[in-house]
Amino acid sequence: MNIHEYQAKALLRDYGAPVSDGRIVTRAEDAKTAAGELDGPLWVVKAQIHAGGRGKGSFKEADSGDGGGVRLAKSVQEAADQAKKMLGRTLVTHQTGPGGKQVGRVYIEDGSGIETELYLALLVDRQTSRVSFVCSTEGGMDIEEVAAATTEKILSFSVDPATGYQAFHGRRIAFALGLTGQQVKQCVKLMGQLYAMFVDKDMEMLEINPLIVTDSGDLKCLDAKMGFDSNALYRNADIANLRDETEEDPKELQASKYDLNYIALDGEIGCMVNGAGLAMATMDIIKLYGAEPANFLDVGGGATKEKVTEAFKIITSDPQVKGILVNIFGGIMRCDVIAEGVIAAVKEVGLQVPLVVRLEGTNVDKGKEIISNSGLDVIAADDLKDGAQKIVKAVKG
Ligand code: GDP
Ligand code: MN
């Protein structure tokens, strides 16, 4: 689960990390009061969406004025005007996709004078199963670009959980970033705060890009991106409360309510499968026969008729879906239950696209019988290969 920059900064503040003072605004008429509560002489107005690259992004609406989703202002009035130009508009960045994201909140911040922009991140390193620090002198840019062009400018190392964070970790980062004097001490303290919050709150990633040295020579977190382990939200109620459902794919949100493992993709073939491994194999074989999956969907081992119906509805609500492949191996799951769910769903939402069903396993004969007696226009398949070929043929001709 991801959170907004302003929420991440509030968390940073709780842990004593240096951030600017700021106010969150959802209505344009509140912007002037909010900006007036900050000192100036520089203000920054920042669109709050769950995507990076806001500064270099652009708005779809012509009357949004010049600039992207991060704008500097030299007066309270100018800050309020910029907030008004962003709220309710659609911001497109290289991370939002061409559709962009609607800006429902802007964060107005006390502007900082910048000496240098640095990069800092913490993440869970899957190789070492440890928390790793990643830092670079090349802040404010896409770290993927830095990694591709100048790998030597990135320092990365993991922390032994037995010792936890130690001052030498912080000093190693400080020297790699070219910090001196008082900044080294600030860095050692800040890295300790970041490590503590990362572990306390079950984060998956924490990115400060840029971490800056201000014109008065102090470290400050100018941007903040945090991702949390969804499986640990049960023990972090404070984090779970920060969830902004308007930022999530509506289909994925609906699926999560029914405990379905659904991820929207870009292809044209909707898939309903049980078991993550079989779902992956189904996606692979669809690609092998020349089409692209529209989603990953694992309905789980103990799916009920209601769950199957809901899953089917979610797949058909995607306008990109040109055909559906149901691929079920009935182990714990019974094929007749799946068949009933599919039929109930088709009766409820109708079927505008070809549907191929491949059933195997427990109660397979009963399942096939239910489908062939339903009078629905369903293409039966014998195995995975046959199913994939049939649905690709039905969609591509
Ligand atoms: P992102 O584009 O979504 O990553 O948003 P950031 O918060 O990282 O802001 C983008 C860029 O705007 C930063 O790299 C800075 O160069 C600039 N910026 C953001 N806040 C300030 C500020 O307080 N003062 C100044 N001078 N520039 C800022
Ligand atoms: Mn940034």
Side-chain angles (χ1 to χ4, degrees):
M1 189 193 90
N2 298 322
I3 61 174
H4 288 292
E5 174 198 7
Y6 79 94
Q7 297 167 324
K9 283 184 170 167
L11 212 54
L12 286 167
R13 204 174 283 121
D14 287 348
Y15 276 77
V19 289
S20 301
D21 194 8
R23 299 285 181 278
I24 190 71
V25 173
T26 54
R27 303 185 312 166
E29 57 264 40
D30 300 334
K32 200 168 172 183
T33 313
E37 288 171 13
L38 304 171
D39 294 337
L42 186 66
W43 286 259
V44 193
V45 185
K46 310 183 80 174
Q48 299 296 293
I49 55 170
H50 286 189
R54 296 165 301 169
K56 295 197 180 92
S58 57
F59 281 88
K60 280 198 161 173
E61 293 81 3
D63 60 350
S64 299
D66 294 330
V70 177
R71 298 183 186 179
L72 300 178
K74 294 221 167 71
S75 68
V76 167
Q77 186 59 50
E78 199 190 334
D81 291 345
Q82 295 294 11
K84 196 173 170 184
K85 285 176 185 166
M86 291 192 205
L87 278 166
R89 311 290 166 84
T90 319
L91 179 58
V92 182
T93 81
H94 70 100
Q95 287 185 9
T96 60
K101 283 208 161 164
Q102 201 177 34
V103 178
R105 318 172 190 194
V106 295
Y107 192 47
I108 306 181
E109 215 179 48
D110 243 339
S112 305
I114 302 176
E115 185 71 36
T116 36
E117 299 199 17
L118 308 165
Y119 179 91
L120 191 278
L122 279 87
L123 46 88
V124 181
D125 182 345
R126 285 161 201 267
Q127 296 277 314
T128 58
S129 309
R130 291 176 175 183
V131 175
S132 279
F133 280 97
V134 180
C135 70
S136 172
T137 51
E138 308 303 293
M141 313 183 29
D142 253 351
I143 198 65
E144 288 84 359
E145 278 174 32
V146 180
T150 47
T151 320
E152 70 282 1
K153 292 195 169 161
I154 297 177
L155 169 72
S156 169
F157 61 87
S158 61
V159 175
D160 189 331
T163 62
Y165 175 80
Q166 302 286 318
F168 75 85
H169 293 124
R171 280 196 294 273
R172 204 173 156 190
I173 293 168
F175 296 134
L177 294 178
L179 303 179
T180 53
Q182 203 56 26
Q183 294 159 7
V184 177
K185 269 191 182 166
Q186 290 179 5
C187 180
V188 169
K189 190 172 159 202
L190 174 59
M191 296 309 134
Q193 291 160 335
L194 298 180
Y195 185 85
M197 65 194 290
F198 191 92
V199 174
D200 287 354
K201 304 294 179 190
D202 295 298
M203 287 188 204
E204 281 178 341
M205 76 92 144
L206 192 180
E207 186 183 62
I208 310 291
N209 186 23
L211 168 70
I212 61 160
V213 177
T214 65
D215 51 6
S216 50
D218 297 310
L219 285 184
K220 191 188 262 185
C221 304
L222 208 65
D223 190 9
K225 201 169 180 182
M226 293 178 186
F228 298 85
D229 182 352
S230 302
N231 294 312
L233 286 176
Y234 75 94
R235 60 183 186 191
N236 295 309
D238 56 335
I239 303 299
N241 285 335
L242 300 179
R243 184 168 177 184
D244 179 0
E245 296 193 341
T246 63
E247 287 286 332
E248 297 175 27
D249 181 302
K251 296 191 293 302
E252 290 181 11
L253 191 63
Q254 184 69 5
S256 73
K257 287 184 181 144
Y258 286 84
D259 207 18
L260 297 160
N261 294 310
Y262 174 92
I263 294 162
L265 300 168
D266 297 328
E268 65 274 54
I269 298 187
C271 314
M272 184 160 86
V273 190
N274 67 324
L278 189 59
M280 299 293 275
T282 305
M283 288 161 51
D284 280 350
I285 202 161
I286 286 171
K287 280 169 106 72
L288 182 68
Y289 288 110
E292 293 285 328
N295 65 280
F296 169 94
L297 172 62
D298 168 15
V299 294
T304 58
K305 184 176 143 188
E306 287 69 33
K307 230 169 132 172
V308 172
T309 310
E310 199 52 43
F312 205 86
K313 282 205 263 187
I314 291 167
I315 293 175
T316 52
S317 73
D318 181 352
Q320 287 191 93
V321 168
K322 302 285 179 285
I324 300 171
L325 174 59
V326 174
N327 181 24
I328 299 292
F329 181 81
I332 300 166
M333 170 79 94
R334 292 171 10 226
C335 292
D336 52 322
V337 172
I338 291 286
E340 279 172 5
V342 169
I343 288 163
V346 171
K347 285 194 173 141
E348 202 177 322
V349 299
L351 191 59
Q352 317 314 338
V353 296
L355 169 65
V356 173
V357 178
R358 178 252 173 167
L359 297 173
E360 193 54 81
T362 309
N363 289 1
V364 61
D365 295 334
K366 217 167 148 189
K368 284 183 173 168
E369 196 182 308
I370 292 170
I371 288 188
S372 61
N373 290 343
S374 69
L376 296 175
D377 189 15
V378 177
I379 306 165
D382 298 322
D383 56 32
L384 189 46
K385 188 177 156 189
D386 186 40
Q389 282 173 331
K390 279 180 172 155
I391 192 63
V392 174
K393 187 156 176 271
V395 167
K396 302 228 161 186

